[in-house]
Structure formats: C-alpha cells, structure tokens
C-alpha cells in the first residue's frame, strides 16, 4: 500500500470513529520512517565494530547509553553483555517484549560496503575475520530505533514495553553459557513478565519489501550428537584378528539415515539426521581401534525430537553390538523448535499486511536452521517473522545466504522491519493483549 493510500484509509477510519487508535499507529509509523538516517547510521557503526558472541561489550554500551538517554529503566550485564530496558506507558495495558540479538560471526566479509568490517580477532585459537553475516546489526539498530520512537509517545502508550538486547544468539563459546537460556535464568522475564514477545529476522533470498511468517513450527530444533565406536586394532590384512570400527561406523551411518527415511512419520513434520564428521585410522594397512563421528539432528516437533534421540542411541549401540564393537553416544540439546503462537499470529497478520501491503506478506516454508528465540516462546506467546533484504532486481536463488561472506542487506528491508515491529507493538498494546 502506498503511504498516500494508507493516509486515506486512516482518514476514513478517523471518520468511522477509530480516531485515537489509528492516529497513534500512523504517527508512530511516520516517526519511524523519519528516523531512517539514524537507524542506518547505527547499523553501519555496529556492522563496522562487530563483536563475537558473549563479547558484545561495545555494542551493549552503545545500546545502554541510548536507552538511558531516553529515560528508561536499564539493566546491563544480563547473560554477560545483554541489555534490558523497560518503557512504562502512561496508560494501563499489557506488557510486550521485543528481542534483538547483538552478536556477529567468525566470517571474513567479502562484500565491499563502506562500513565493511576489516579487523581480525581470535576465535577458538585461530585468527578470524568477524562479520555481521546474520544481520544482527540491523536487528539491534531497528529495536534501538523503535525504543526511541515509542518513548516519544510514552504518555499515549497503553501498557509497557520491554526491550531485550540479547548476546550470543549464535551460541556461546564451547563450554560457556549464554544467549536466551542464560537471559531467562537471569530473570529477563521477571518484573514485569511479558504477555507476548516479538522478534524479526532479516533473511537473504526474500526480496526487500516482503515479509514472511508461519504460524506454528517455523524453525527447527538443533541438537548435536557425538559417537565413539570402539573396536580392536589389527593389521589391515588380518581383519578377523580384531574388531573393525570403520566398517561398523559405515553401517551406523546407513542405519542413522533410516531413522528419517524409514522410521518416523515425515508426513507429520520433516526431520534431518546428518553425520557431519568421521575420523579414524592412521595408515592404509592398519584397522584402527577407534572411530569418532559427530552430527546434528533437526526436527519441528518436540516429541519427534525426543523419539529421534532415542533411535540414534538405539541404532548406534545395536549395530556396534552386532559387530562385537562398543559405542558411546552423547547428545547435546542446543536449541528448541521455534513455534509461532497461532492465535497471536492470526491477531497480528492484519498489522503486517497493513504495513507491508497485503501482497508482500506470505507464508514462509519451514526453515531447517534454528533460533534460540524458541526459549522465550516456551515461556510466553511469541511471533518471530522474516523480513526480506535481497535487492528486488536480484534473483533470490542467487543471493548469498545468511552466515556467508557475501551476505548483503538491502536497507529498504531494514526500514520495513522497523515499521512492522513498531506497528506490532502499538496494535498489540491497543488490543489490550
Ligand atoms: Zn545466524
Ligand atoms: Zn540470526
């Protein structure tokens, strides 16, 4: 919808008696649009000064200073570097939360933008480039801006808004805690507890100007598994004098593929079991005594997730036993299924359509990667949606995906992100739920 048409509709609504509600939504929308220069300059600054998970100190300081300048109650150091601020509106109403992530990735940027990140840092003992290759710089800038605009309408806001700037969405360093789980442990949802939570994610492969959403399971759970197969070492020419963990591992890999291919109901929800690494042996004529493997499990259903975990362990151990080998299986749960609340999504779909234009809002296919926003959604109803950032003249299939060195953000998508998030807050507060 054009801005002119939107204005006409609002005028008609004013005449129909929806005056104050629609007036506030329109004013907020205009204000967000007017602050475009500021959102983009924040994004460029954060992009250039990108920081890895659990190290987002500069970004957090920038965010906290801004929120304090707006006169909000600000808590810092949540889950290491997280920032949480509360905006209390002048009128009674529900509590709504917005989440933005602040961390970047160990990726060397290949896109030539003026605010490109060029410095290197150390990650897991290696020197790496660091880049906002998932667009979290855009998310932080968007929510900083929404905070500013909404605080300008504080007296008219019917309710409270909690702004959550989260560290380590990409996962804390090995062996460390972080992200949404640690924020929840540190009471991010206490005093006050939100009634609903919202977040968006910029996504490559969807044109700028478009929004995609999906009620119910949207993004997969992600778990890691580690398998050690123990045999008995022998000469490669005398296999009968030992126990071969290599051939046992080959059978285990095939067996694990049968979980998805033959054992679970894939007409209910899809799933993936991937063996991604396999290591064993030192020489062409020695059968080793150990082979180690690791991989990942993805599901869209918590019951199916638990079922697959049991099957991975059962198949691995049974095949090992059939070969007189032994197997150890460790499964680490990493991220839950991201499930958009169906009622909340239905309630707010008209808002997304109003802001983006109905033809620009469509249902998203399930996404096999994971999001730790899922843990917030386990506590309160949440809506997580995607905002396209691929230039409209580019073939979406050609766009480099999130996490790649060529990940590129068309900034018109950022502005739709900010407008839609601000509109969701206004509409959910005005609806009183
Ligand atoms: Zn990511
Ligand atoms: Zn991300």
């Amino acid at each position: 919808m054009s801005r002119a048409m939107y204005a006409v509709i609002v005028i008609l609504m004013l005449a129909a008696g929806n005056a104050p509600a629609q007036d506030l939504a329109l004013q907020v929308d205009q204000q967000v649009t007017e602050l475009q220069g500021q959102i983009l300059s924040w994004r460029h600054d954060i992009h250039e000064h990108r920081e890895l998970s659990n190290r987002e100190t500069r970004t957090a300081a920038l965010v906290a200073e801004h929120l304090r300048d707006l006169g909000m109650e600000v808590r810092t150091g949540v889950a290491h570097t997280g920032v949480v601020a509360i905006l209390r509106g002048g009128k009674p109403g529900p509590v709504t939360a917005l989440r933005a992530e602040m961390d970047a990735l160990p990726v060397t940027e290949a896109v030539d933008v003026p605010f490109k990140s060029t410095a290197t840092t150390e990650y897991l003992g290696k020197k790496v480039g660091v880049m906002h290759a998932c667009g979290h710089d855009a998310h932080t800038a968007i929510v900083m801006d929404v905070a500013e605009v909404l605080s300008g309408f504080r007296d008219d806001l019917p309710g409270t808004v909690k702004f959550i700037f989260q560290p380590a969405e990409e996962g804390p360093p090995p062996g460390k805690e972080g992200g949404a789980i640690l924020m929840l442990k540190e009471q991010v949802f206490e005093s006050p507890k939100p009634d609903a939570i919202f977040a968006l994610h910029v996504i490559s492969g969807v044109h700028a100007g478009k929004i995609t959403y999906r009620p119910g399971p949207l993004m997969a759970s992600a778990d890691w598994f580690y398998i050690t197969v123990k045999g008995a070492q022998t000469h490669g020419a005398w296999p009968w004098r030992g126990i071969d963990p290599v051939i046992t591992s080959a059978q285990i890999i095939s067996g694990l593929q049968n979980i998805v291919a033959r054992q679970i109901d894939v007409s209910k929800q899809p799933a993936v079991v991937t063996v991604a690494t396999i290591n064993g042996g030192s020489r062409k004529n020695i059968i080793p005594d150990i082979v180690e493997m690791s991989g990942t499990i993805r599901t869209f259903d918590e019951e199916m997730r638990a079922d697959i975990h049991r099957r991975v362990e059962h198949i691995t151990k049974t095949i090992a036993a059939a070969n007189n080998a032994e197997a150890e299986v460790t499964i680490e749960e990493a991220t839950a299924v991201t499930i958009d609340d169906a009622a909340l999504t239905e309630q707010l779909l008209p808002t997304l359509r109003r802001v983006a234009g109905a033809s620009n809002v469509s249902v998203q296919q399930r996404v096999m990667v994971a999001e730790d926003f899922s843990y917030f959604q386990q506590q309160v109803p949440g809506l997580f949606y995607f905002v396209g950032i691929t230039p409209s003249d580019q073939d979406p299939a050609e766009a480099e995906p999130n996490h790649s060195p060529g990940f590129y953000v068309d900034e018109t998508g950022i502005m739709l992100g900010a407008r839609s998030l601000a509109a969701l807050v206004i509409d959910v507060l005005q609806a009183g739920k």
Side-chain angles (χ1 to χ4, degrees), residues 105 134 136 169-170 201 403:
L105 287 159
C134 204
H136 297 179
E169 192 287 320
E170 301 289 358
H201 207 298
H403 287 211

Side-chain angles (χ1 to χ4, degrees), residues 145-430:
D145 191 67
V146 171
E148 175 160 344
V149 172
L150 294 181
S151 72
F153 293 93
R154 185 185 311 237
D155 294 344
D156 298 320
L157 275 191
T160 298
V161 189
K162 200 168 212 177
F163 298 92
I164 299 172
F165 291 87
Q166 181 197 312
E169 192 287 320
E170 301 289 358
K176 304 277 188 233
E177 285 189 287
I181 295 180
L182 189 57
M183 290 199 104
L184 286 165
K185 244 192 214 176
E186 296 185 10
Q187 270 100 43
V188 70
F189 270 8
E190 301 306 314
S191 49
K193 181 172 180 172
D195 298 295
I197 184 161
F198 299 99
L200 57 75
H201 207 298
V202 294
I203 190 168
S204 175
V206 175
H207 281 144
K210 301 209 178 280
I211 284 176
T212 62
Y213 73 99
R214 185 180 191 86
L218 167 68
M219 297 179 80
S221 61
D223 301 316
W224 318 118
F225 63 84
Y226 303 90
I227 294 172
T228 305
V229 181
K230 289 182 190 158
Q233 189 163 322
T234 180
H235 197 294
W238 293 327
W240 58 89
R241 294 175 69 173
I243 296 169
D244 186 351
V246 174
I247 205 150
T248 306
S249 296
Q251 290 176 3
I252 290 171
I253 294 169
S254 296
L256 295 179
Q257 293 317 299
N258 283 335
I259 297 175
V260 173
R262 288 295 175 267
Q263 299 184 4
I264 59 155
D265 182 355
V266 288
S267 65
K268 187 178 171 195
Q269 292 287 355
V272 168
V273 177
T274 291
V275 177
T277 69
I278 174 161
N279 291 296
S282 58
R283 203 187 137 86
K284 59 188 180 273
N285 59 356
I286 299 173
I287 290 173
D289 55 357
I290 278 187
V291 168
E292 290 176 313
M293 297 185 279
S294 67
T296 187
I297 300 164
R298 306 291 164 124
T299 71
F300 290 90
D301 179 281
E302 292 294 340
E303 250 176 60
M304 194 183 278
R305 182 185 187 193
D307 183 41
I308 292 179
H309 289 186
R310 280 191 295 273
R311 289 176 190 277
V312 165
E313 181 152 3
H314 175 69
I315 287 171
T316 303
K317 291 197 163 170
T318 311
I319 291 176
N323 285 281
N324 296 320
E326 281 175 30
E328 281 171 15
V329 182
T330 307
I331 298 178
E332 268 176 23
E333 297 199 352
T335 311
V337 185
T338 299
I339 300 174
D340 278 347
D341 185 86
L344 188 68
T345 309
E346 194 184 346
Q347 179 192 337
L348 291 164
L349 198 47
T351 305
L352 296 177
R353 288 184 174 142
R354 184 184 77 221
V355 176
S359 62
N360 290 321
V361 179
S362 59
V363 173
Q364 169 74 42
Q365 245 187 341
R366 289 178 199 81
V367 181
M368 223 19 116
V369 294
E371 234 309 325
D372 75 355
F373 187 73
S374 50
Y375 292 104
F376 294 130
Q377 290 171 310
Q378 286 182 343
Q379 308 288 321
V380 300
L383 174 58
F384 183 92
Y385 62 101
F386 291 106
V387 173
I389 40 84
T390 292
S392 53
D393 58 356
Q394 189 183 1
D395 178 357
E398 302 279 304
E400 294 227 25
N402 295 47
H403 287 211
S404 67
F407 175 71
Y408 175 75
V409 174
D410 180 326
E411 294 183 329
T412 56
I414 294 182
M415 292 316 297
L416 178 60
R419 290 179 51 227
S420 58
L421 212 49
L424 288 175
V425 174
I426 293 298
D427 285 6
V428 83
L429 291 185
Q430 290 192 329

